[in-house]
Amino acid sequence: MHEYAVACEIAALVKQTTAGARVEKITLGVGALSGIFTESLTMYLELVLPDMGMESVKIETRDVPAVFACDCGERYEARSILTACPKCGAYARTVAAGQDCVVESIEVEDDPEHTA
Amino acid sequence: MTQSIRLEKSAHALNDAVAADNRRLFGKIAVVNMISSPGSGKTSLLESLASRMGRSLFVITGDIQTQIDKERLENAGARAVQIETRGSCHLTARMIHDAAERESFSGVRLLVIENIGNLVCPSSYDLGEDEKLAVLSVAEGDEKPIKYPSLFVRAAAVVINKIDLLPYVTFDVDRAAADIRKLKSDAEILRVSCTTGEGMDGLAAYLDRLIAAKRK
């Protein structure tokens, strides 16, 4: 729903991290519970990145499943947040993974001055 | 030649850094990020709290446009600043920082950030709050927690508002409460009507505990 805003945040983070180097590829991990629609995020990144001086960047996305950690110690994957623990049947659990959208890695062109 | 940088940072990393600055700025003041759909009664609840707390309640209130909420809250006795987002469906830590850094918080016990009415986007932005407080009104339907889990899985407390309307609507409070607990087993559930005042003591007591815990 707010993929445009997230695309702007990612672009700013990438720009800050790469400090002017030519960015070739960004790999994102999109959590199943992040509320982010991957196709929409990619579309907005393709619009926003060139505006920030990053042209022809390849965007790779990876679906990150939701992982829950139950109070009983069990960890389990589930598609819905309303899935009870398969071991004890309780809902007392925290979300261990899948809630975030993460910038996993960035590929940049090596600075020729460094490789020379 | 290509060089790969392993980053593993949240897309919200820059927002989260500003949120951490906000936490330092707010110090020992209890800070609540109030999130709900439009029309659930956030401002009315805050007016009711303002009549109890006066100027020790500070509200940063967000809307897409208008200063209406700021005026209502000031008339009720609280201190308030308005953020007009001009379109953005959620508040960001930067917006809070810019609004807060010009203010003095002397004498403030509780800062409430009244987010844009929206059950989706605001839930993923840390603003520097201690807790998220969700508001759900019985006029909206009891299935809202399971339809919009991203908020209810994070909210430490949920106000079920407008309970004076229960005789006229089909809202099943027990079902909503059970679903909220499935999403967050330790959620505090507060049944309130800011129109009749029923449950306001419970809400005020909950906030007082938060204020006391923060001052320690």
Side-chain angles (χ1 to χ4, degrees):
Chain A
M1 195 162 174
H2 54 284
E3 283 79 0
Y4 172 71
V6 177
C8 292
E9 288 188 86
I10 292 171
L13 178 63
V14 170
K15 197 175 168 85
Q16 190 192 68
T17 308
T18 54
R22 147 115 188 91
V23 179
E24 293 182 341
K25 186 169 133 187
I26 302 170
T27 305
L28 304 170
V30 182
L33 304 176
S34 69
I36 301 215
F37 184 46
T38 304
E39 198 176 298
S40 172
L41 178 64
T42 306
M43 180 191 82
Y44 281 123
L45 278 169
E46 284 166 356
L47 289 171
V48 167
L49 289 167
D51 279 351
M52 295 181 72
M54 294 174 275
E55 302 273 352
S56 317
V57 179
K58 187 166 186 266
I59 297 152
E60 199 166 274
T61 59
R62 196 172 69 79
D63 293 334
V64 178
V67 179
F68 300 95
C70 182
D71 284 358
C72 78
E74 180 77 354
R75 282 172 75 91
Y76 60 101
E77 263 186 39
R79 282 189 59 209
S80 161
I81 198 160
L82 281 172
T83 309
C85 173
K87 195 172 160 197
C88 73
Y91 290 94
R93 38 90 187 105
T94 50
V95 182
Q99 214 163 15
D100 282 331
C101 173
V102 174
V103 182
E104 296 182 339
S105 63
I106 308 169
E107 283 183 13
V108 295
E109 197 176 74
D110 251 348
D111 187 340
E113 285 175 30
H114 286 242
T115 49
Chain B
M1 282 291 286
T2 297
Q3 184 200 346
S4 184
I5 305 168
R6 254 347 274 147
L7 200 61
E8 295 295 345
K9 273 193 185 171
S10 162
H12 298 307
L14 297 181
N15 178 78
D16 295 348
V18 180
D21 282 347
N22 291 351
R23 282 197 176 85
R24 280 190 286 278
L25 179 69
F26 298 141
K28 292 200 159 193
I29 301 170
V31 184
V32 168
N33 182 358
M34 194 180 215
I35 303 176
S36 79
S37 52
S40 67
K42 291 187 294 302
T43 314
S44 300
L45 282 164
L46 290 169
E47 283 176 317
S48 188
L49 279 175
S51 69
R52 294 166 180 249
M53 296 183 67
R55 293 175 61 79
S56 69
L57 172 67
F58 196 112
V59 183
I60 298 177
T61 180
D63 276 298
I64 288 174
Q65 60 183 29
T66 82
Q67 300 271 323
I68 293 170
D69 282 3
K70 170 186 157 70
E71 287 161 16
R72 281 177 61 184
L73 292 160
E74 284 176 344
N75 288 338
R79 296 166 63 187
V81 290
Q82 180 82 48
I83 297 173
E84 285 183 67
T85 65
R86 299 282 166 199
S88 175
C89 54
H90 58 275
L91 296 175
T92 65
R94 173 59 61 194
M95 292 178 199
I96 300 305
H97 193 270
D98 291 350
E101 71 177 352
R102 294 187 295 266
E103 301 294 327
S104 154
F105 291 96
S106 144
V108 172
R109 297 168 67 224
L110 176 67
L111 170 66
V112 177
I113 300 166
E114 185 188 355
N115 221 309
I116 312 292
N118 179 338
L119 285 175
V120 185
C121 310
S123 65
S124 39
Y125 286 85
D126 182 6
L127 304 179
E129 72 271 13
D130 299 308
E131 283 187 1
K132 288 179 176 51
L133 174 76
V135 181
L136 169 69
S137 80
V138 303
E140 292 166 62
D142 49 23
E143 78 293 351
K144 290 296 170 284
I146 49 170
K147 280 189 175 173
Y148 298 92
S150 68
L151 170 60
F152 295 93
V153 79
R154 291 175 171 97
V158 181
V159 170
I160 298 180
N161 193 25
K162 307 191 191 180
I163 56 166
D164 53 303
L165 296 181
L166 279 172
Y168 312 105
V169 294
T170 55
F171 191 100
D172 180 341
V173 177
D174 292 336
R175 179 204 166 159
D179 286 344
I180 291 163
R181 291 253 157 75
K182 280 181 190 171
L183 292 164
K184 196 169 191 314
S185 56
D186 59 350
E188 180 91 12
I189 299 172
L190 300 150
R191 300 165 194 214
V192 175
S193 163
C194 55
T195 303
T196 65
E198 190 181 349
M200 281 304 297
D201 286 344
L203 174 59
Y206 175 78
L207 294 169
D208 276 340
R209 287 199 293 277
L210 191 64
I211 292 164
K214 199 65 191 292
R215 291 204 162 181
K216 267 182 199 158

